[in-house]
Amino acid sequence: MPAKAKYRKDYKKPDYTVTDIFLDFQLDPQQTQVTAKTAVQRLNPEAQQLRLDGHGFQFASIEVNGEPFSAYRQDAESLSLDLSGLNQERFELEIVTLLKPAENTSLQGLYQSGSAFCTQCEAEGFRQITYMLDRPDVLARYTTRITADKSAYPYLLSNGNRIAGGELDNGRHWVEWQDPFPKPSYLFALVAGDFDLLQDRFVTKSGREVALELYVDKGSLDRADWAMQSLKKSMKWDEERFGLEYDLDIYMIVAVDFFNMGAMENKGLNVFNSKFVLANPATATDEDYHNVEAVIAHEYFHNWTGNRVTCRDWFQLSLKEGLTVFRDQEFSSDTGSRAVQRINNVKLLRTVQFAEDAGPMAHPIRPEKVIEMNNFYTVTVYEKGAEVIRMLHTLLGEVRFQQGMQLYIAENDGKAATCEDFISAMERASAVDLTVFRRWYSQSGTPELTVNDEYDERNKIYRLSVSQATPPTHDQLDKINLHIPLKIELYDGQGHQLDLQDEHGPVSNVLNILQDNQVFEFHHVYARPIPALLCDFSAPVKLDYDYSDEQLLLLLKHAENDFVRWDAAQTLLANELRRNLQRQQNGEEMLISPLLLDTFGAILEDYQQDIELTALMLTLPKETEFAERFNVIDPSGIHAVRQFLQKNIAEYLKTMLLKVYHRIDLPQYRPERQDIAQRSLRNVCLSYLAVTEFGNALVNTHYLHANNMTDTLAALSAATLAALPCRDALLADFEQKWAHDGLVMDKWFALQATRPDEDVLQNVIKLMDHPSFAFNNPNRLRALVGSFVNQNPNAFHAVDGSGYRFLVEVLIKVNSSNPQIASRLIEPLIRLGRYDAQRQTLMKRGLERLAKIENLSKDLFEKIEKALD
């Protein structure tokens, strides 16, 4: 410690591989014995040393070909075998290790979740179970035998198909599983416990019947049906859109409460954070329902893009994650609202991923260097990775993209592939040159497109001049040009879309930006047009075009592209905030544009034309969303201006807001698109009305009459953020009803953490002793501490540094218990370069304190080192 960095350029094929492995687990919370019998094959004839990864367990014994073996050496991270005396290309290795699952708070390897046993092996958790070639390019067939007390652990689950089982005399029982498909160690899974079970079946397009089993905590069966329906929906969609069929006899999902991630795609046995499985109207919001469906789909889609075709090394992580995120986004778009899905994806990119690009952890979607692999499970690898796949789809079109997918799967099924394998398949299947496009995989940062235009009235020619540049990032100073698809539309002064033509005839609305500067000419344009740029957010870039408010209003009213309409509204709001922030910083009175107020009034008046889009356009961006519009962030100023905007919009539109609020009436809860849209708009109206004189009575009534969690939480959120008199009583009532349910209480903790009160930090500290809070549960920690540091920027970035000191204290504690969660929580502290000098000094002081603690984890060390560099 500190650990050495690993580099992508240093990749070497393994000298040895494992073809088959038999695992025997004798489960016990205090001491589990694992016997691993592996069939090892020498790949490099010259190799004589076999280094196996492993740590965090007690090493008991080792045999080679059934004989005790002593020619080895150990260190803290590995077991190295001297095989110079073994003249065999194939041999059997048997290793026995002893684990303590009840003491494993890292939630990696084998650990306890409540009273159940659970594993998490991605990225490098298998090495906490036994010594192994724990790398994704070593693929083996797994057979797993699990033995445990039958009364405590009636269900014993692992990958593949169940092939045997039996009873033992001492009250224990055993089950044996076999996975016929070779897989890397990170896809291994084991779960043992007592659950409620929901069963169903799915018949594939070829007529095979697949048993579906969903395991949840006792008493939660009434919250499992939506996940099962989502699974069946995903299986059908993947067959229809991508032609991919499930390949085992059984597909299992297990929901556990203690889990670092959202879910894990282990072959045939997906382990899920309960948050992304359990849902019913009383406990889950519309957003929860969507997230359950999307995450179920994501993990299922990994069966082919991640499992059957896996990644050669962890630098290629976006090969499986970026592609699978794109696939789950397309699933949500095809089965729901494409516009809503796209807008929500872009909000995440602009708020979180752009911030990552601008911070010390900036990296390409295929990183070149890593210290702790868990630190690269990022929005860059996942969401920006998905944007790179989406750009390919835009450039190639659906037909050629699917041809590329088919070629990629056919060539790499059962193998460990690279990003180059994917892009090469796309290139060969489509006959499109992707040489420049490949640079997206190796260049970090957010490109900036600057667009200028001119109109040649005499010749009726409209010209767009486009330049691209990517600012230097923490990891790369020098940047080169990328291949950026810029999708555009042109409108006349009455809002009619124009046909795009050059001197030869019709042209595509996707402009290929490959150079520093390019000029595009459009002919037969009979008046100066208004350009709609970056339609559908066709590339993950920042756009600089000097729109007037009048142009934005025309696009907002008339653009055929829903993303463009929403983005025009966001830009109008951002411009208003920017002007008022300048006034606020200069000590001047804040003002709001009558044009903006009238525009919002017109949107609301016409809400029935598109309820979903109206709700999105009227939703005031969060402070964190506004913050990404600035190079230097003023948290307190943004907070004050946003409150000013909300209050003035609410006062101006309150009569209309009340009218729409009362007009929407949904007596029953259904998680269907039309109902979700209406609830969303009604609750947007409520959030504005909360800051008017109607607020307290209306919000209180809304809460009392709510028949679903979406409306309940909308009332609580409105009361909390507006600091209404009814707030504390409503929060107390909610707490009394749900104190027994951790997942529901997470919503309550998050609300408490985002209160606008001056004493919110003291309240957060106090709540860490709440009976429903558990420090070692990642969901509780994210809900309370994570919400405070990420979603309450005005309080977290208090100029006295109290928020920073609080987070440092938490991180010191989490560093020793769960480094992976600590690494997630530190994110807002390492982005100190975005703030004023006083805040930077305080943040740096906190990071320097963390850097000096004993036994600093690799997870935190890597981020602190880069932030202080």
Side-chain angles (χ1 to χ4, degrees):
M1 188 66 202
K4 292 182 179 179
K6 299 176 183 177
Y7 294 85
R8 186 175 70 87
K9 63 181 176 60
D10 293 336
Y11 171 81
K12 293 180 180 179
K13 293 181 180 180
D15 289 336
Y16 296 84
T17 192
V18 174
T19 59
D20 296 272
I21 180 167
F22 177 85
L23 295 168
D24 184 294
F25 286 82
Q26 299 291 325
L27 292 179
D28 181 271
Q30 304 308 317
Q31 181 166 284
T32 288
Q33 178 176 297
V34 181
T35 302
K37 296 180 180 179
T38 56
V40 182
Q41 179 180 350
R42 192 195 312 262
L43 300 178
N44 177 3
E46 306 299 319
Q48 295 185 339
Q49 300 293 317
L50 172 58
R51 182 188 182 279
L52 302 172
D53 303 295
H55 67 89
F57 49 70
Q58 181 182 339
F59 174 47
S61 66
I62 180 172
E63 294 183 355
V64 174
N65 291 332
E67 298 293 332
F69 187 80
S70 58
Y72 64 83
R73 65 181 185 276
Q74 285 178 278
D75 60 29
E77 299 290 332
S78 68
L79 180 75
S80 296
L81 281 59
D82 182 354
L83 300 175
S84 56
L86 188 69
N87 297 317
Q88 293 177 251
E89 297 304 306
R90 298 173 183 269
F91 57 92
E92 184 178 273
L93 184 64
E94 179 177 309
I95 295 175
V96 178
T97 55
L98 303 175
L99 319 181
K100 298 182 183 297
E103 298 178 13
N104 184 2
T105 60
S106 73
L107 310 189
Q108 293 280 295
L110 178 70
Y111 65 94
Q112 276 197 285
S113 174
S115 59
F117 288 96
C118 183
T119 58
Q120 170 57 31
C121 294
E122 187 177 3
E124 297 175 337
F126 191 85
R127 64 188 62 185
Q128 291 181 231
I129 295 173
T130 188
Y131 284 116
M132 179 60 173
L133 280 164
D134 189 15
R135 46 189 289 171
D137 58 351
V138 172
L139 282 69
R141 286 176 292 272
Y142 281 67
T143 302
T144 305
R145 181 182 174 119
I146 311 168
T147 304
D149 180 84
K150 185 173 182 179
S151 61
Y153 310 103
Y155 293 107
L156 307 176
L157 312 175
S158 192
N159 309 87
N161 299 314
R162 176 174 169 154
I163 59 171
E167 308 289 327
L168 300 173
D169 293 337
N170 54 0
R172 292 169 73 81
H173 69 139
W174 63 276
V175 175
E176 196 165 297
W177 296 81
Q178 188 174 72
D179 186 352
F181 297 97
K183 64 174 180 285
S185 54
Y186 83 86
L187 288 173
F188 171 77
L190 177 152
V191 174
D194 190 8
F195 305 96
D196 278 343
L197 170 62
L198 179 63
Q199 294 178 294
D200 207 328
R201 70 187 189 100
F202 180 81
V203 179
T204 70
K205 64 179 182 179
S206 66
R208 292 179 50 253
E209 184 171 307
V210 180
L212 307 179
E213 296 185 350
L214 205 165
Y215 296 84
V216 297
D217 285 339
K218 287 287 187 178
S220 296
L221 203 58
D222 64 325
R223 298 161 69 176
D225 186 65
W226 179 255
M228 182 64 81
Q229 298 310 312
S230 299
L231 173 59
K232 294 167 71 174
K233 193 175 176 181
S234 305
M235 296 175 82
K236 188 173 189 297
W237 180 87
D238 211 17
E239 289 184 347
E240 293 175 348
R241 177 82 186 269
F242 280 81
L244 298 174
E245 181 178 331
Y246 188 61
D247 50 7
L248 288 171
D249 298 334
I250 188 170
Y251 190 92
M252 297 172 285
I253 292 174
V254 183
V256 298
D257 197 28
F258 287 73
F259 206 66
N260 285 339
M261 300 182 179
M264 178 58 208
E265 71 268 18
N266 321 290
K267 181 72 178 179
L269 176 60
N270 289 184
V271 181
F272 269 67
N273 189 321
S274 297
K275 178 179 181 180
F276 297 109
V277 171
L278 303 180
N280 66 20
T283 61
T285 64
D286 290 335
E287 183 180 5
D288 293 330
Y289 271 88
H290 170 76
N291 289 340
V292 168
E293 183 178 77
V295 177
I296 290 278
H298 180 94
E299 304 308 331
Y300 173 74
F301 298 152
H302 265 312
N303 185 61
W304 282 94
T305 51
N307 295 3
R308 286 283 289 261
V309 181
T310 194
C311 49
R312 185 195 72 178
D313 55 77
W314 289 120
F315 296 100
Q316 317 291 332
L317 179 60
S318 197
L319 173 72
K320 74 182 184 80
E321 294 301 348
L323 177 55
T324 305
V325 169
F326 169 77
R327 278 160 39 77
D328 82 55
Q329 290 174 355
E330 283 298 288
F331 166 75
S332 295
S333 297
D334 284 348
T335 59
S337 168
R338 182 163 290 274
V340 170
Q341 179 66 30
R342 190 67 191 130
I343 289 167
N344 286 330
N345 295 155
V346 173
K347 288 171 70 174
L348 178 62
L349 277 166
R350 285 177 169 172
T351 306
V352 185
Q353 197 280 316
F354 284 9
E356 189 164 83
D357 268 345
M361 286 297 290
H363 57 279
I365 66 168
R366 184 185 58 197
E368 299 296 330
K369 170 186 174 184
V370 64
I371 291 177
E372 172 51 58
M373 191 54 228
N374 285 325
N375 284 341
F376 283 94
Y377 283 75
T378 63
V379 285
T380 296
V381 166
Y382 279 63
E383 273 70 26
K384 186 176 181 179
E387 292 301 305
V388 171
I389 304 298
R390 185 170 299 281
M391 287 189 289
L392 271 176
H393 187 272
T394 298
L395 292 170
L396 305 184
E398 172 71 4
V399 172
R400 290 189 296 182
F401 181 86
Q402 290 294 353
Q403 290 170 343
M405 279 292 301
Q406 291 167 18
L407 180 60
Y408 166 68
I409 295 290
E411 290 183 337
N412 296 287
D413 187 11
K415 299 178 183 177
T418 66
C419 295
E420 176 57 33
D421 292 326
F422 178 79
I423 200 80
S424 173
M426 286 289 166
E427 190 171 50
R428 286 178 285 122
S430 66
V432 173
D433 184 357
L434 298 173
T435 302
V436 177
F437 188 85
R438 282 172 167 80
R439 296 172 181 174
W440 281 102
Y441 285 89
S442 56
Q443 184 159 287
S444 60
T446 304
E448 297 177 358
L449 290 184
T450 302
V451 180
N452 294 291
D453 60 352
E454 62 179 37
Y455 178 61
D456 180 348
E457 186 171 7
R458 179 178 178 182
N459 294 303
K460 308 303 179 187
I461 295 175
Y462 177 68
R463 296 183 181 89
L464 279 177
S465 299
V466 185
S467 64
Q468 65 161 299
T470 302
T473 53
H474 191 274
D475 64 323
Q476 289 177 341
L477 295 179
D478 299 322
K479 304 294 182 180
I480 53 178
N481 296 335
L482 300 171
H483 186 171
I484 300 172
L486 176 62
K487 188 182 290 188
I488 70 162
E489 294 170 352
L490 298 180
Y491 290 87
D492 66 19
Q494 287 71 50
H496 300 119
Q497 188 175 169
L498 305 178
D499 294 330
L500 301 183
Q501 302 178 65
D502 65 9
E503 58 186 320
H504 304 294
V507 294
S508 169
N509 72 329
V510 177
L511 310 182
N512 287 286
I513 314 300
L514 296 106
Q515 303 168 15
D516 279 346
N517 298 283
Q518 289 174 252
V519 178
F520 299 87
E521 286 192 352
F522 302 95
H523 291 241
H524 311 297
V525 180
Y526 297 104
R528 186 181 186 92
I530 294 92
L533 304 170
L534 208 61
C535 299
D536 292 322
F537 201 69
S538 58
V541 302
K542 293 182 179 179
L543 177 69
D544 181 9
Y545 176 80
D546 190 18
Y547 278 112
S548 68
D549 285 353
E550 289 72 23
Q551 287 176 312
L552 290 169
L553 285 170
L554 182 137
L555 292 176
L556 189 154
K557 292 176 182 177
H558 298 292
E560 294 185 15
N561 189 275
D562 287 338
F563 171 80
V564 168
R565 293 180 61 202
W566 170 81
D567 201 35
Q570 297 291 291
T571 304
L572 282 167
L573 284 167
N575 291 344
E576 197 72 16
L577 181 129
R578 188 181 297 275
R579 287 190 286 265
N580 277 295
L581 184 59
Q582 188 68 53
R583 295 183 186 116
Q584 194 253 8
Q585 291 171 340
N586 292 338
E588 301 170 3
E589 181 182 1
M590 289 188 280
L591 304 169
I592 191 162
S593 164
L595 188 63
L596 177 70
L597 295 173
D598 288 339
T599 300
F600 269 49
I603 294 170
L604 189 58
E605 184 72 37
D606 200 30
Y607 79 92
Q608 289 180 322
Q609 293 297 315
D610 191 333
I611 298 174
E612 288 174 312
L613 194 60
T614 297
L616 285 167
M617 287 197 294
L618 292 180
T619 299
L620 203 59
K622 296 178 181 178
E623 292 170 27
T624 49
E625 294 176 60
F626 275 136
E628 287 310 307
R629 300 272 182 167
F630 300 91
N631 292 324
V632 178
I633 300 170
D634 177 359
S636 55
I638 291 172
H639 176 71
V641 176
R642 187 186 183 280
Q643 285 189 319
F644 169 80
L645 293 178
Q646 182 183 23
K647 179 71 174 175
N648 279 267
I649 293 171
E651 285 294 335
Y652 186 80
L653 297 178
K654 63 185 176 184
T655 301
M656 197 179 305
L657 288 164
L658 267 174
K659 180 181 176 182
V660 174
Y661 174 86
H662 287 299
R663 184 181 294 171
I664 298 174
D665 182 27
L666 297 168
Q668 293 182 324
Y669 179 84
R670 299 179 305 175
E672 297 177 4
R673 179 177 172 182
Q674 184 177 359
D675 287 15
I676 291 170
Q678 291 187 77
R679 263 191 303 276
S680 178
L681 180 57
R682 190 168 187 253
N683 289 328
V684 168
C685 292
L686 182 71
S687 69
Y688 280 111
L689 290 166
V691 299
T692 69
E693 69 269 27
F694 308 117
N696 194 64
L698 189 65
V699 169
N700 192 62
T701 301
H702 190 94
Y703 177 87
L704 295 175
H705 288 90
N707 63 0
N708 61 82
M709 182 55 73
T710 303
D711 287 339
T712 297
L713 200 65
L716 284 176
S717 179
T720 299
L721 297 178
L724 297 176
C726 67
R727 176 186 66 180
D728 291 343
L730 299 186
L731 287 170
D733 179 75
F734 188 91
E735 176 190 15
Q736 188 273 327
K737 286 180 180 176
W738 295 107
H740 65 284
D741 191 309
L743 279 183
V744 178
M745 282 298 287
D746 283 344
K747 304 177 191 303
W748 186 83
F749 284 124
L751 284 172
Q752 295 280 13
T754 53
R755 292 165 75 130
D757 310 14
E758 289 187 4
D759 64 347
V760 60
L761 177 55
Q762 288 71 35
N763 188 48
V764 168
I765 294 170
K766 181 180 178 182
L767 287 173
M768 294 180 79
D769 293 323
H770 192 281
S772 299
F773 184 80
F775 193 88
N776 64 341
N777 186 306
N779 285 342
R780 304 301 94 80
L781 205 58
R782 282 187 285 252
L784 185 61
V785 178
S787 294
F788 173 74
V789 302
N790 289 297
Q791 300 302 325
N792 198 343
N794 185 49
F796 174 65
H797 292 285
V799 291
D800 64 356
S802 56
Y804 309 146
R805 290 191 295 273
F806 164 72
L807 180 55
V808 167
E809 293 293 338
V810 170
L811 291 172
I812 289 172
K813 187 175 179 180
V814 185
N815 171 70
S816 59
S817 62
N818 192 331
Q820 193 175 145
I821 296 301
S823 180
R824 300 286 189 270
L825 290 175
I826 200 175
E827 280 294 320
L829 193 61
I830 66 173
R831 294 171 185 164
L832 62 166
R834 301 290 300 280
Y835 296 90
D836 59 84
Q838 182 179 351
R839 288 185 171 94
Q840 281 194 42
T841 298
L842 294 168
M843 296 167 86
K844 184 178 180 182
R845 192 174 297 164
L847 291 169
E848 288 172 340
R849 183 184 171 201
L850 285 169
K852 295 176 183 177
I853 65 174
E854 292 185 15
N855 300 316
L856 183 65
S857 66
K858 290 189 297 181
D859 310 63
L860 283 182
F861 167 80
E862 181 171 25
K863 291 190 173 182
I864 293 168
E865 180 189 46
K866 289 185 176 181
L868 292 175
D869 186 8

